[in-house]
Amino acid sequence: MRQSQTAPEYFDEGALIGVLTAEPLDRMLDYKAPEGGCHLGAFVEVPLGPRKVIGVVWGAGKGDWDIKKVRAAYRVLDAAPMRLEMRDFLRRSADYTLTPMNAMLRLATRAPGLGDPPSMRKIYRRGPSEPERMTDARQKVLNTLAEYGDLSFTLKELAELAGVTTSVVKGLVEQGAVAEEGSPRDLPFPRLDPSLPSKELTEDQATASTYLADAVQSGNYGTTLLRGVTGSGKTEVYLEAVAAALRAGRQALVLLPEIALTAEFLKRVQERFGHRPAEWHSGATMTERRRIWRMIGQGQAQLVIGARSALFLPYQNLGLIVVDEEHDTSYKQEEGVLYNARDMAVLRASICGAHVVLASATPSLESWANAESGKYKRLELTSRFGPAVMPTMKTIDMRDAKLPANRWVSEVLKFEVQKRIDAGEQAMLFINRRGYAPITLCRACGHQVGCDDCDARMVEHRFQNRLVCHQCGESKEMPTKCPSCDAEGRMAPVGPGVERLGEEAAELFPDARIATLSSDMYGSARALKAEIEAIAAGGADIVIGTQLVAKGHNFPNLTLVGVIDADLGLQGSDLRAAERTFQLMRQVAGRAGRAEKPGTAMLQTYQPEHPVIRSILEGDEEGFWRAQAAERKAAGVPPYGRMAGIIVSGTDLPQVFDLANHLARMDGPLRAVGAQIFGPAPAPIARVRGRHRVRMLVKADKTVALQGALSRWAAQVKLKGDLKLAIDIDPQNFY
Ligand code: ADP
Ligand code: ZN
């Protein structure tokens, strides 16, 4: 069984405490414990210069300040103290990612109003009196209250449930038939009921779900890779693991790529457990975030569905973490704290005795290798549920297509799309490129419009009528004359983006209803999700989309997926180019044929003989992973070796190179552990937001404690001016 946490240490008023704040300071600060004393782990408000800041009591004070100058903490906040395991988790993830503790604390306290007292709102319940005059509407309200027993509601909830206007409720309040009371805003989440019936599972599914339920029940740490094609019932299976956690009285977390958090998914959870879970994502309101943060700390939220940062919420008793679409690159945070939520989920679970389920149709090579070596348990769902079968995969050899200029849809693909439209089915055209055209070129002088602050071309977004830099987000108006040679009216778009493909489709299929989906075309993630759901419900004949349509959406009527450029991801020297292309193509193809109708996926390619394209087509996944694994083993790269990306950046190029060269020469601490350093060299994108970037790469054996060596190495230099040194452990991107 899990160890119970030792009773928190206590500091009497005036005792010296060490407080960790989220301020960019490189040490804990000493204070005197506030009036009434405080627990270890307590959230406290402390003076810092003229300001009040929030911190966590991390231990006894160091006592290396003049005791007379040590100030007293103001007060203990009204929030559950940070638990020992959470402090452990922050410390160990800081060590792993080489991140300062204050930045980790910032991640763990991303809830607004932490220092505020719980605010109040009005709630309504049955009052002592009867109304003087009964009407139908009034009766409905009283019936609703009777039906739900001693639950209380907000005005809006009660009116909606009863199907009356809010003024009806207000009228009943005046007569004392309904009582209006103040109540804390941060209400507990409704209890979830794991005993509601689950779907009847297939044999495969039942075996997997029994294994997971037992693993969760055991209360020990473990990780399972749950593999199965899209539609094989992975969600169904891990919801049973959630049920086991709930039964054991423990909390569960399901991590999803941001965009996959759909109403459809939440509805399934609600059907299984009776209520909606807590939802933690970028679209959540401030009040909702605050409520979730607090309720999780008090054990009054049992299930959280969230994006990667949900991992840093203050769970009281976490028993299960599911990472759905575990291979998804959005789990790696690429700014600020450079962490991979999948890896940190495993770390967190190992600290608190939780089970981890990594679910994917196309796992990352890392997870595949861990399952191969026996470090992770592997469970397989081999077929799609019900009549749905994996789509038939075909290539279209573009060398034979002989397309006219500025056309990207081959005759073959056009014919197949038309066939689906005629049959009343949906087709999808996929291109993994946002905007209208990747290049804007002057036909007079050949100049390509670039970003002023980055070493990158600007991408035309016709929908916004602007050129946008995909590196820094800067945009400018479409130029009418060439910025280089001043020629008028000679600027032309080159190459396809999703918007341009939409335009071509409109010409090819004039009678079809076409929906173009790209993350930048909708104001919010919510608006985009609403659009996707409308399409899934039959709102379009042709869906044109980027990567985001590949993630977790069900299009029941979709029977054809056409990939415009299957070669796109194979360019470049990225270590994971093959893996990513394989995953993406299999995932996109998996959108086709989810219901009774079989699906087809067609890949337009100029290199149909490429080994990656071949293995996508043949669907020999094991063969593909084995070949990839052999290549990486031979090269000594992850997951068979360790790697760190080093990025030195600054506004002054000579200074940036000086620092990088200096670091490369001072490689003693790295050599001492047998690590090698490569570079420095200008980064593939050599300037971003006006900062020059130089990269180095550090490689070491799998067994080497690389982080310690890296921090000793980095500690040899003092960063002057605006120079920055970023260390990216297990880098996913190499730009
Ligand atoms: P995955 O997560 O692997 O993509 P899902 O769990 O979403 O698969 O299952 C695909 C579809 O099949 C869903 O609509 C799901 O409800 C349904 N389904 C899967 N297994 C069963 C089952 N045993 N009984 C009924 N419906 C099922
Ligand atoms: Zn830019």
Side-chain angles (χ1 to χ4, degrees), residues 476-493:
K476 54 184 165 196
E477 259 173 54
M478 278 296 295
T480 51
K481 64 177 191 186
C482 175
S484 175
C485 75
D486 283 345
E488 278 285 348
R490 304 297 305 276
M491 302 308 289

Side-chain angles (χ1 to χ4, degrees), residues 122-170:
K122 292 199 170 115
I123 54 159
Y124 298 80
R125 60 171 81 242
R126 185 70 164 97
S129 336
E130 292 301 319
E132 284 157 19
R133 192 173 50 83
M134 190 59 89
T135 63
D136 278 358
R138 288 179 171 179
Q139 189 65 56
K140 279 189 198 158
V141 174
L142 297 185
N143 288 350
T144 303
L145 287 173
E147 186 183 337
Y148 286 89
D150 50 333
L151 282 181
S152 51
F153 303 94
T154 64
L155 183 59
K156 197 164 146 263
E157 282 166 355
L158 180 54
E160 261 171 29
L161 270 174
V164 301
T165 62
T166 52
S167 58
V168 176
V169 179
K170 285 278 175 69

